[in-house]
Amino acid sequence: MSAVLVAGLLAGYGIAMPVGGVATYLVSLTARTSLRVGVGAALGVATADGVYALVAAAGGASLAGAVEPVVVPLRLASVLVLVALAARGAVTAVRAYRRHGTAAARAGTPPGPARAYAALLGITLLNPATVVYFAALVLGSPATASLTHLEQGAFALAAFAASASWQLLIAGGGALLGRTLTGRGGRLATALASSALITGLAVHLLLGTG
């Protein structure tokens, strides 16, 4: 069982640590709102990783093969979601900057933790490559070659814990950034830089669909 837990932890960190559009959005969201919102969003990402880890552990190669035909359409959907998030973030930041008052919160109602959780859960679930990643690890590791139901759950729980710890670290960085850049100009620059980076990552993802 310990080998399965270690394999799950390594798998969770492996899928969570690369910085992509979701991580960038998580930092930006936390900086604009609060740590509570960031924690909700971080747990949404980790939940999706845990679900995909469980699905991969239970389904293995057959599930990875079933997902393969819809990888491109779902990747395109993910691109559209990221571009929409980038555009909304930029527009909100510009509107907030043009208002002579404080804050980005005036440009619209900020999401609460529950809404942030649901939004990031949905965005992360749009990435079917995650289940292929976990399936490859399950099939390629001697520790996870033939898992019982209990071990499948332990693998997924460990992957969730690893992903959650990393996403919470990212959210904490976003909260620190938000406290540091309290001026209107600083928040505008951060939001626009974040939107530009998210758009660039979305374009990179789109180019990888071929």
Side-chain angles (χ1 to χ4, degrees):
M1 178 66 77
S2 60
V4 172
L5 290 173
V6 171
L9 287 171
L10 292 176
Y13 282 121
I15 196 65
M17 288 181 71
V19 176
V22 171
T24 305
Y25 179 68
L26 176 58
V27 170
S28 175
L29 175 66
T30 311
R32 295 195 315 267
T33 54
S34 68
L35 182 59
R36 288 180 65 248
V37 173
V39 167
L43 292 178
V45 177
T47 299
D49 287 342
V51 167
Y52 271 144
L54 181 60
V55 167
S62 60
L63 193 56
V67 167
E68 190 65 31
V70 296
V71 165
V72 172
L74 286 180
R75 187 180 295 163
L76 290 173
S78 181
V79 167
L80 292 176
V81 169
L82 289 173
V83 169
L85 288 173
R88 185 177 184 276
V91 169
T92 299
V94 171
R95 285 178 177 171
Y97 181 77
R98 287 177 176 173
R99 293 185 178 208
H100 296 290
T102 54
R106 291 191 177 182
T109 304
R115 201 169 104 197
Y117 172 89
L120 269 293
L121 173 64
I123 290 169
T124 310
L125 286 174
L126 282 173
N127 184 12
T130 306
V131 74
V132 177
Y133 163 85
F134 279 119
L137 289 179
V138 167
L139 295 171
S141 171
T144 55
S146 55
L147 299 178
T148 65
H149 292 308
L150 180 61
E151 288 171 337
Q152 289 171 3
F155 176 82
L157 185 61
F160 166 81
S163 178
S165 67
W166 185 256
Q167 305 303 338
L168 289 171
L169 180 64
I170 292 175
L176 179 62
L177 181 65
R179 287 195 297 270
T180 303
L181 298 174
T182 54
R184 289 169 60 225
R187 288 187 177 275
L188 175 64
T190 302
L192 292 179
S194 172
S195 294
L197 181 55
I198 293 173
T199 302
L201 291 166
V203 171
H204 178 73
L205 185 61
L206 179 63
L207 294 177
T209 59

